[in-house]
Each structure stands twice: as C-alpha cells, then as structure tokens.
Amino acid sequence: MPTYDPTAEQKFTFGLWTVGNTGRDPFGGPVRDQLSPVEIVRLLGEVGAYGVNYHDNDLYPIDATPAEVDQILRDFKQALRDTGLKVPMATTNLFTDPIFKDGAFTSNDARVRAYALQKVIRSMDIGVDLGAALYVLWGGREGTETDASKNPQDSLKRMRDALNFLCEYIIEQGYDLRLALEAKPNEPRSDIYLPTTGAMLGFINTLDHPEMVGVNPEVAHEHMAGLNFAHAVAQAWDAGKLFHIDLNDQLFGRYDQDFRFGSVMIKQNFFLVKFLEDVGYSGSRHYDAHAYRTEDYEGVKDFARGCMRTYMILREKARQFNQDAEIQALLQEIHADDGAHSYLNGGYSSDAVSRLRNETFDRVGISQRGLPYERLDQLTMELLLGVR
Ligand code: GCO
Ligand code: MN
Ligand code: MN
C-alpha cells in the first residue's frame, strides 16, 4: 500500500506567500498572524516539502537597507540549512507597490520601467546566491483597464525589450538562470497582456534569446479563461518550454481562488498528473495556492500536506491506469492500425502524394465504427472513485 508521502523526486515546492498567506481578501483583513520567512521555512520542513520559492519582498521589505537584507538572508539561509529545503525559484514583486499601479515593464512611465528592471536584477542577484536556477516573471499589473491608455503592440514591444535586457544581464553575469513567464487573463488588471500560456509561447519566439525563456503555467489562470490546463501544459512541454508549473485548483469562470491542489477538478487534475509523470517532467511541482480563510496554522499544514498527498494519489492512479488490463486493451483497440497508411508517417514526399491520390476511402464504413470512449471514461472514473 503506497503511503502517498511526498518524495524529493517530485520536487514539491511552496512560495513563502502561499503557506504564509494571512487570509486577507478584498472584503476582509488577515485572519492569521503573519509568519516570518524563517517560520514559514520551518513549517514547510515539517510538512515534508522539497523547497521554498519567494518574491523579493516576501523575504525582505521593499525599503530594506542592504544591512537589513543581509541579516534577513543570514537567518533565512540558516533555516534552509536546518530544514534541508532548497530554493529552486525566485521571482519579483512587480505589482504590490503603488509605483506599479500601471504596470512595470509596460508602464507608460519610463521611470517605472527602469525601476522595475533595477528591482528584478537586484532580486536575481540574491536569488542566484540562494541557489535558484529559475526566475519566474508574472506580469500581474502588465495590462489595462482602458485601451485608450496604451497601444497593445507598444506594450508587447516594451515587454520584449525588458526581457531581452534581462537575458543579456544573465548572460553577462554568467548566471545559470532561466526565465519562466506566467500568463493570467485578468486580475488585478481588467486585462493582462499575453493572457494564456499559448500566447506566452508565441511571444517567446520573438525574443532575442528564446532558448533562455520558458513558461510557468498555472491551473487557476487557464481555468479562469475556461481552458483545458493539461492541454496548455502539453503544448508547453511539446515546445520544450515547461520550465516550471504552478499547481492549485478551481472551477472555470471565477477569480483566482488558489485552492488546494486537486480539491475541485479531480478528473482534469488526474490527466494533468498523468501527463507530467508519463513524460517524465523533472522540474519543480510548485504549489501557488493557499489555505481557506477559515484555517489557523494547523489548517495551513493540512492544506500543504493535502496538496502533495493528492498529487501522490493521482500519480498512483496514473500508474494503475497504465497497468489496467481492461483500459489498456480498450486503448489498443482504439489505436489499432493495420499499417496501410504508414507511408504517410515519414512526412511529405511526391511518392506519398501519388499514393494518396490513388487511394479510395470507405468514408461511410469508416465513420460507422463506434469508438468505445464511454466505456473508457467510465473505467477511468471508476478507477478514480476507488472501485477498481
Ligand atoms: C497570482 C500569481 C502569482 C505568481 C507569483 C509568482 O495570480 O497572484 O499566480 O502568485 O505566481 O507572483 O510569480
Ligand atoms: Mn495565480
Ligand atoms: Mn502563480
């Protein structure tokens, strides 16, 4: 019987801002005391996480002096040594401070754009020092309420200029650091540029160093847009761009709820975990989620353990799916191929075209074949519901 305990192989990580979330929302203040970064690291060590990620200002205040930053880093590093936690990813807060009210890299104010770049490179220096090999960029305020304020193509150009600048900085410093862009359709802006993972993937190819830049898809963000998250992840993987992943959960059409992973859409999450495990994704499985506002810190630990445990359960279910004789037999039947068209597998050739031209297809006969997807899905559901 598997224990479903988290293993280091899965690289389960949490942001300081996730288990450190105090339950503040637009309608109410905090319901939990703010923990220090050291306390959060200890909590994550206790629940068995692999690592901790952070925004610069989760770790040190935006106006901290260099001496204050040094002291905070010393304490943080000590907590990392005590718990064995790693810091695989770092990121910058480019959205909370009022200076970012109209965006950071895409702000209409050149001073804000410059300040944003300065904030990122300072934060990168610290992230690399803490061992991060991945830097996430989420453009929370990179958008508009009114398109009268900015030309969207100019905004893309500003975004591109900023990313090109940061890539050159990384190269010049000799850092072993890759960037992962995180898409979100809206919230906190009415519209955020590059709203989906697919949009990010297209944009990356317009950069000077596309090889340094990948994506960080988040379940909630694609669900807000009503999209199939596993499909977005598969496209990112296929493009060699799945550098990181933000796991959480929620239904479609809502604000960014950041629920415990696997707490809402079981079937979708199953196919997501199955995909990640089947292809051998080896990056961090990062939880960008937080506990219900009803919880105290015991509840926060339940939340964090639950995120990892559900992943491990779905992983085991994926293993069972791959070994289930009836399911596999159905899949074989569905994918049956007599090889008569293997001449098309090698791609285009004039020989293939002439063979294709001369073929006669039994259009009616082929379309009459039933596909046993109902049985396949029912078996999948029974497996997930624990009766298989
Ligand atoms: C959100 C985002 C953020 C980012 C984080 C790391 O909707 O608030 O998901 O939590 O993931 O800023 O870049
Ligand atoms: Mn989010
Ligand atoms: Mn996120």
Side-chain angles (χ1 to χ4, degrees):
M1 185 69 185
T3 63
Y4 306 119
D5 288 340
T7 61
E9 190 197 334
Q10 266 60 46
K11 301 200 182 95
F12 290 129
T13 60
F14 290 82
L16 281 180
W17 71 95
T18 65
V19 284
N21 177 288
T22 59
R24 192 197 307 274
D25 71 16
F27 303 94
V31 294
R32 296 182 281 270
D33 293 338
Q34 182 71 64
L35 298 183
S36 70
V38 166
E39 288 170 317
I40 296 174
V41 169
R42 292 211 185 102
L43 185 153
L44 288 175
E46 194 184 325
V47 299
Y50 167 87
V52 59
N53 303 319
Y54 69 95
H55 300 89
D56 51 354
N57 304 138
D58 301 335
L59 197 51
Y60 46 87
I62 193 165
D63 51 4
T65 65
E68 284 163 349
V69 174
D70 278 353
Q71 184 56 51
I72 290 167
L73 285 175
R74 263 197 298 278
D75 295 344
F76 190 60
K77 285 180 180 172
Q78 185 59 50
L80 294 172
R81 278 193 294 273
D82 293 346
T83 53
L85 256 70
K86 307 266 182 295
V87 180
M89 177 275 258
T91 183
T92 327
N93 184 325
L94 295 174
F95 42 88
T96 300
D97 194 85
I99 193 173
F100 298 125
K101 65 188 176 191
D102 190 28
F105 301 152
T106 63
S107 164
N108 271 334
D109 187 329
R111 295 168 303 175
V112 176
R113 299 200 297 274
Y115 174 69
L117 279 178
Q118 184 200 60
K119 196 168 190 288
V120 174
I121 62 175
R122 283 189 176 162
S123 161
M124 273 181 180
D125 297 343
I126 293 174
V128 168
D129 176 51
L130 288 168
L134 195 90
Y135 207 85
V136 164
L137 289 156
W138 172 62
R141 302 256 177 215
E142 311 290 13
T144 56
E145 281 71 45
T146 168
D147 285 337
S149 65
K150 291 174 191 166
N151 174 323
Q153 192 185 2
D154 290 346
S155 298
L156 290 176
K157 185 178 175 310
R158 286 172 178 167
M159 186 80 89
R160 182 180 306 121
D161 288 348
L163 290 167
N164 287 340
F165 187 96
L166 293 173
C167 285
E168 294 297 345
Y169 178 73
I170 292 169
I171 293 168
E172 200 174 270
Q173 296 299 307
Y175 288 162
D176 174 20
L177 194 64
R178 298 192 299 170
L179 305 180
L181 309 182
E182 181 176 341
K184 185 175 183 181
N186 57 272
E187 192 198 13
R189 297 310 292 268
S190 180
D191 285 289
I192 299 179
Y193 296 124
L194 298 163
T196 61
T197 298
M200 285 296 182
L201 287 168
F203 176 68
I204 288 170
N205 285 325
T206 72
L207 300 175
D208 289 348
H209 290 283
E211 73 286 355
M212 295 173 66
V213 187
V215 290
N216 177 34
E218 173 170 322
V219 180
H221 297 180
E222 303 291 321
H223 283 190
M224 286 168 75
L227 300 175
N228 182 316
F229 184 64
H231 291 192
V233 166
Q235 191 191 351
W237 176 263
D238 181 65
K241 293 295 182 194
L242 189 65
F243 288 6
H244 202 257
I245 192 164
D246 274 6
L247 300 175
N248 54 25
D249 207 3
Q250 69 174 69
L251 292 174
F252 286 169
R254 307 200 174 188
Y255 66 96
D256 189 15
Q257 293 179 297
D258 292 334
F259 285 147
R260 190 179 76 255
F261 177 66
S263 61
V264 185
M265 291 193 167
I266 307 224
K267 193 164 153 186
Q268 286 84 344
N269 288 313
F270 165 70
F271 285 112
L272 169 66
V273 171
K274 182 174 180 312
F275 182 84
L276 294 175
E277 296 295 319
D278 283 351
V279 299
Y281 168 74
S282 64
S284 294
R285 285 151 178 85
H286 175 241
Y287 294 106
D288 189 6
H290 52 74
Y292 302 145
R293 194 165 181 270
T294 47
E295 306 305 296
D296 60 13
Y297 277 106
E298 282 313 306
V300 171
K301 288 181 208 165
D302 291 337
F303 149 82
R305 290 193 177 103
C307 281
M308 297 184 284
R309 186 172 163 82
T310 298
Y311 187 98
M312 295 304 280
I313 294 170
L314 292 176
R315 177 173 179 263
E316 170 61 17
K317 294 285 180 190
R319 199 190 60 76
Q320 286 173 18
F321 182 99
N322 290 340
Q323 292 190 348
D324 187 297
E326 206 176 334
I327 290 177
Q328 293 308 316
L330 271 180
L331 284 171
Q332 254 188 21
E333 182 189 328
I334 288 160
H335 295 131
D337 181 356
D338 63 5
H341 298 95
S342 54
Y343 68 89
L344 287 171
N345 295 349
Y348 184 85
S349 70
S350 34
D351 182 48
V353 174
S354 31
R355 284 181 70 172
L356 189 59
R357 277 195 200 285
N358 293 324
E359 279 213 58
T360 341
F361 291 96
D362 175 13
R363 186 174 47 76
V364 174
I366 294 171
S367 57
Q368 277 169 353
R369 175 187 171 210
L371 296 167
Y373 294 175
E374 284 287 1
R375 240 174 82 214
L376 179 63
D377 188 72
Q378 181 66 23
L379 291 176
T380 306
M381 290 311 294
E382 294 194 7
L383 192 146
L384 292 179
L385 293 171
V387 297
R388 270 186 87 71

